[in-house]
Amino acid sequence: MLSRASKKAPPFLPYRRILPEGFVCPGPEYLREDMLQAEPVAQSDQILRAHFADQPHTLIDSGGFVFYDPNDLVRGRVRPDVYIVFGVDTVSVRQRDGYVIHEAGKPPDFALEVASGSTRRVDTGPKRSLYAQIGIGEYWRFDPTGGDFYGYALAGDLLVDGSYLPVDLSLEQDGMSWGYSPVLDLCLCASNGRLIFYDRKSGQYLNNMAEERAARLAADAGRLAAEAEVARLEEELRRLRGA
């Protein structure tokens, strides 16, 4: 039987954060995103963090708040699935536990939204308008269903004179659509429900952590097999010489 103190306790929440100036927001927006949305968000975050790891003044965040109204931190905030800011003091931003535009001195350079059943209309309408108003230089949208939510698998916008202009996309014969991001200097590619990043400079696709591990394991397995074959041949040569 619950005690009176237990009855008065606040409801359980998956997690809560203390945000700028002690602002606490334990509302429903802190619930996790749709499962279909979660994997592309997590993988994009991993890939981009690894790619820009040698740039200490590059901030990459997924699921955190961007505060754009200095007079209203409660309503003047938005939460991109992934956003990137170049040339900022990442240490102070992380200590703040939220990206406050008027403190950091610039809006995010890049934002990515991944479609879900609950966000599809917001991502293509109000949020697109808000991101342009805030001054986010690039805004990309990815639909892991291939277009059931957005009507397309991939789209990008570049901010020009305060308005978004669509990024030119290419469609390959295998169905992959892709476009170039000048801000990231990477190509974003939508293929078979996956969001892939391609580096034109290296001519390689960027792998996530699981893919990197699989590649290392495959390389290790190949090396061990080669060493075993060399050892076998050396033993065979010693046997023949002693015969």
Side-chain angles (χ1 to χ4, degrees):
M1 185 174 182
L2 294 176
S3 66
R4 290 184 178 179
S6 298
K7 290 180 180 179
K8 294 181 180 179
F12 171 79
L13 294 167
Y15 62 94
R16 62 188 294 188
R17 289 179 178 176
I18 298 176
L19 296 163
E21 300 298 338
F23 168 68
V24 178
C25 182
E29 65 227 71
Y30 274 86
L31 298 176
R32 60 170 292 170
E33 63 268 29
D34 295 353
M35 292 184 70
L36 189 65
Q37 182 188 33
E39 185 173 358
V41 171
Q43 289 185 350
S44 298
D45 181 86
Q46 291 174 4
I47 290 169
L48 294 171
R49 285 178 187 270
H51 182 67
F52 294 108
D54 61 346
Q55 299 185 19
H57 297 293
T58 296
L59 175 72
I60 300 172
D61 190 23
S62 59
F65 278 124
V66 173
F67 295 85
Y68 58 87
D69 187 346
N71 300 313
D72 191 345
L73 291 179
V74 177
R75 287 179 293 242
R77 53 178 168 73
V78 65
R79 188 170 70 171
D81 287 331
V82 180
Y83 69 92
I84 300 178
V85 197
F86 296 101
V88 293
D89 184 349
T90 56
V91 174
S92 64
V93 172
R94 292 191 179 101
Q95 290 174 343
R96 198 78 161 102
D97 201 13
Y99 188 76
V100 186
I101 292 177
H102 69 276
E103 291 181 356
K106 60 176 296 188
D109 296 289
F110 171 94
L112 168 70
E113 297 291 351
V114 177
S116 71
S118 60
T119 66
R120 54 184 177 177
R121 291 184 178 85
V122 176
D123 293 346
T124 58
K127 189 169 282 188
R128 183 175 183 270
S129 300
L130 177 60
Y131 285 175
Q133 179 183 344
I134 293 172
I136 296 178
E138 280 190 17
Y139 175 38
W140 288 79
R141 297 170 299 286
F142 168 67
D143 186 341
T145 70
D148 291 347
F149 290 143
Y150 288 158
Y152 46 80
L154 182 68
D157 290 308
L158 301 178
L159 191 66
V160 179
D161 296 329
S163 299
Y164 278 137
L165 298 180
V167 174
D168 291 331
L169 299 182
S170 298
L171 182 64
E172 302 296 330
Q173 291 184 350
D174 61 1
M176 181 178 74
S177 60
W178 63 274
Y180 174 67
S181 163
V183 167
L184 302 185
D185 194 19
L186 296 171
C187 293
L188 281 70
C189 316
S191 177
N192 297 319
R194 296 184 61 208
L195 179 60
I196 308 170
F197 295 85
Y198 177 76
D199 186 354
R200 300 193 302 184
K201 291 179 179 178
S202 66
Q204 295 181 343
Y205 291 98
L206 307 183
N207 293 330
N208 60 34
M209 292 172 60
E211 291 167 335
E212 291 284 0
R213 182 174 183 273
R216 287 196 301 271
L217 290 175
D220 289 343
R223 177 179 53 80
L224 292 174
E227 290 174 352
E229 179 63 12
V230 169
R232 186 191 68 79
L233 292 174
E234 289 176 344
E235 178 62 26
E236 179 68 11
L237 181 59
R238 284 192 294 268
R239 186 186 66 79
L240 291 173
R241 286 175 175 174

